[in-house]
């Protein structure tokens, strides 16, 4: 199921604005993942990532959605390079080498890494070496 969703491009990224209430301006966006089945029915992100875990495709799905989020954010960033992008990470994928692909994806984009805020889901991280990286 997950591979089909990726191959058929049935994932959309929405950027939810984060507003500074003091000056009433957008200072960041949070990337939200939305996916659909073959009948265009909504699949919740929780269900999507649980299925990816079952199919041993967590890293692949996570890398895919983060790449989509970076690409979507680039247009906003080009207009205002002070904007931040908040990305959620599945902590389980930090325990393997897939963090390297994210670092390489960021480096190949036009976004400065300091403009990316990583939110790690409240699970355990077993490999602190990859987390620091």
């Amino acid at each position: 199921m997950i591979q089909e969703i990726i191959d058929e491009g049935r994932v959309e990224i929405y950027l939810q604005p984060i507003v500074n209430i003091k000056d009433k301006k957008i200072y960041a966006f949070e990337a939200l993942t939305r996916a659909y089945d073959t009948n265009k029915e909504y699949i919740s992100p929780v269900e999507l990532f649980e299925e990816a875990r079952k199919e041993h495709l967590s890293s692949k799905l996570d890398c895919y959605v983060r790449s989509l989020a970076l690409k979507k954010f680039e247009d906003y960033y080009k207009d205002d390079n002070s904007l931040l992008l908040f990305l959620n990470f599945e902590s389980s994928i930090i325990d393997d080498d897939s963090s390297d692909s994210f670092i390489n994806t960021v480096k190949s984009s036009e976004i400065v890494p300091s403009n990316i805020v990583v939110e790690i889901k409240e699970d355990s991280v077993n490999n602190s070496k990859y987390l620091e990286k």
Side-chain angles (χ1 to χ4, degrees), residues 18-36:
I18 300 173
V19 178
N20 179 330
I21 59 172
K22 184 178 178 180
D23 62 12
K24 299 176 183 154
K25 291 185 180 178
I26 295 171
Y27 76 94
F29 291 95
E30 179 176 9
L32 305 174
T33 302
R34 299 296 179 257
Y36 304 91

Side-chain angles (χ1 to χ4, degrees), residues 58 79 117 123:
S58 292
D79 289 339
V117 179
D123 294 332

Side-chain angles (χ1 to χ4, degrees), residues 5-91:
I5 287 171
I6 292 170
D7 291 345
E8 295 172 9
R10 289 189 273 128
V11 175
E12 290 185 41
I13 300 296
Y14 294 92
L15 297 179
Q16 178 174 305
I18 300 173
V19 178
N20 179 330
I21 59 172
K22 184 178 178 180
D23 62 12
K24 299 176 183 154
K25 291 185 180 178
I26 295 171
Y27 76 94
F29 291 95
E30 179 176 9
L32 305 174
T33 302
R34 299 296 179 257
Y36 304 91
D37 66 17
T38 53
N39 297 318
K40 300 198 182 219
E41 295 290 322
Y42 170 73
I43 302 170
S44 79
V46 171
E47 182 183 340
L48 181 71
F49 283 94
E50 282 178 7
E51 186 62 32
R53 250 188 310 282
K54 289 178 191 172
E55 296 179 24
H56 305 288
L57 291 172
S58 292
S59 293
K60 186 168 189 171
L61 178 63
D62 202 74
C63 289
Y64 176 67
V65 298
R66 283 186 275 123
S67 295
L68 291 176
L70 287 168
K71 186 174 176 89
K72 188 153 193 174
F73 179 68
E74 277 183 339
D75 290 335
Y76 293 96
Y77 181 77
K78 286 176 187 174
D79 289 339
D80 181 353
N81 65 5
S82 70
L83 290 171
L84 302 175
L85 176 63
F86 284 71
L87 291 173
N88 291 315
F89 260 73
E90 288 285 321
S91 63

